[in-house]
Amino acid sequence: GDRGADERGGPVADFEAAIQASMFDPNAYRDYVTFLREFLGRKHTPDLATLLRYPTIARLMLPSSTLRSGTAPTDAIVLLFLDRPLDSRNTRDRTIQVVRRALDGLTGATLTGVAVVTHDMEMLMWSELSRLLYIVIAGVVLFSFAYFRQPLDTFLALLPAVFGVGCLLGAMNLIDLRLNMINLVGIPLSLGLGVDGGVFLVSLAAAHRRQGGSRQALTDKIGVGCHAIVITTITTVISFGTLVFTSTPAIRSLGVMMAIG
């Protein structure tokens, strides 16, 4: 591999000998021989600084900031090829942890890729979800208590929402529905929508209690109220359920979550 371009047995000499022994006209390959002699006869290996002298090619291979500054970049990309797919979440998470431990302490080294971005987004969602749920629950509870001013009425109004979210989480586990950036909003929405029926029924009962009405009259009013709540709930399920017919998986999962919730 270190033989000179024109040395005996070198690549240029070998090419010229092959042309001479063939049926082709050697003069037709004179320019190509000149190119080979210049290309293979270089004593210095081209580097990034050499590439910058050819902007058309450099634009395809180097970042735009490098072209503007005119200085050779100092970054590099190393591709990791694995002996197994990262389809399984456990395999993916374990692989990312192992590589990141290997890069720990290496300044400037950043692990990236589709699998890594997906992993980091999921971790971020879980951390944000807990904070979001605390805010939603605190806001709904405080507002409901400020409205009813009675702990028991507040509890009864929130009970359907708590039951609904519990059923939603159980259903997600049964059908293996994963959280993503889109369907994440389904949980606080389910809390907000689930409180509506409870607030309506408890308010109805509280107003009836203040008026001193009979239990039978209250039963009749609640029957009518529950019928209205069922109808409005069905329309809500239908409206959100239409999202399951979209072609985007993340939006489709939001429709499933909202319909169940």
Side-chain angles (χ1 to χ4, degrees):
D2 295 331
R3 293 181 300 177
D6 289 317
E7 292 180 2
R8 185 182 300 277
V12 175
D14 291 344
F15 179 77
E16 290 180 321
I19 292 297
Q20 291 290 343
S22 69
M23 58 181 290
F24 300 106
D25 182 8
N27 292 326
Y29 292 89
R30 185 176 304 165
D31 293 340
Y32 186 68
V33 171
T34 302
F35 163 75
L36 282 180
R37 185 174 290 110
E38 180 180 355
F39 182 74
L40 299 175
R42 291 183 178 272
K43 302 299 182 183
H44 302 286
T45 303
D47 53 14
L48 292 176
T50 307
L51 180 61
L52 286 174
R53 299 206 301 266
Y54 305 91
T56 303
I57 303 176
R59 192 176 296 111
L60 301 175
M61 306 179 67
L62 300 178
S64 57
S65 58
T66 298
L67 299 177
R68 288 194 298 267
S69 63
T71 58
T74 57
D75 300 333
I77 297 178
V78 178
L79 300 179
L80 300 180
F81 296 91
L82 306 176
D83 61 351
R84 67 198 65 187
L86 298 181
D87 299 335
S88 168
R89 173 178 295 185
N90 293 333
T91 303
R92 182 199 64 190
D93 295 348
R94 188 165 57 251
T95 302
I96 292 174
Q97 292 173 4
V98 169
V99 177
R100 279 182 168 162
R101 281 198 297 267
L103 296 177
D104 188 26
L106 188 59
T107 304
T110 303
L111 182 64
T112 186
V114 176
V116 178
V117 173
T118 303
H119 168 79
D120 291 345
M121 289 297 293
E122 288 183 357
M123 296 298 103
L124 178 62
M125 282 190 296
W126 279 113
S127 62
E128 289 294 319
L129 177 61
S130 58
R131 185 173 65 90
L132 179 63
L133 284 179
Y134 291 144
I135 296 175
V136 171
I137 293 173
V140 171
V141 170
L142 290 176
F143 183 81
S144 299
F145 183 77
Y147 175 73
F148 290 110
R149 297 184 177 88
Q150 294 289 338
L152 180 59
D153 289 350
T154 302
F155 171 77
L156 291 175
L158 297 177
L159 191 59
V162 174
F163 179 78
V165 171
C167 291
L168 172 60
L169 296 177
M172 289 177 61
N173 185 57
L174 288 176
I175 64 177
D176 196 28
L177 181 62
R178 303 292 182 178
L179 288 174
N180 54 56
M181 291 298 293
I182 302 298
N183 66 22
L184 181 63
V185 301
I187 294 182
L189 277 177
S190 297
L191 276 171
L193 292 174
V195 171
D196 294 346
V199 170
F200 178 78
L201 293 177
V202 174
S203 299
L204 183 65
H208 185 81
R209 185 171 59 243
R210 287 193 300 269
Q211 296 170 1
S214 65
R215 179 179 295 271
Q216 182 59 43
L218 175 60
T219 302
D220 295 339
K221 289 182 179 180
I222 288 182
V224 175
C226 287
H227 180 267
I229 290 174
V230 168
I231 298 302
T232 57
T233 301
I234 291 175
T235 57
T236 304
V237 171
I238 292 175
S239 60
F240 280 107
T242 56
L243 295 176
V244 302
F245 299 107
T246 62
S247 58
T248 306
I251 299 179
R252 189 163 58 242
S253 66
L254 174 61
V256 174
M257 281 187 62
M258 290 306 301
I260 295 174

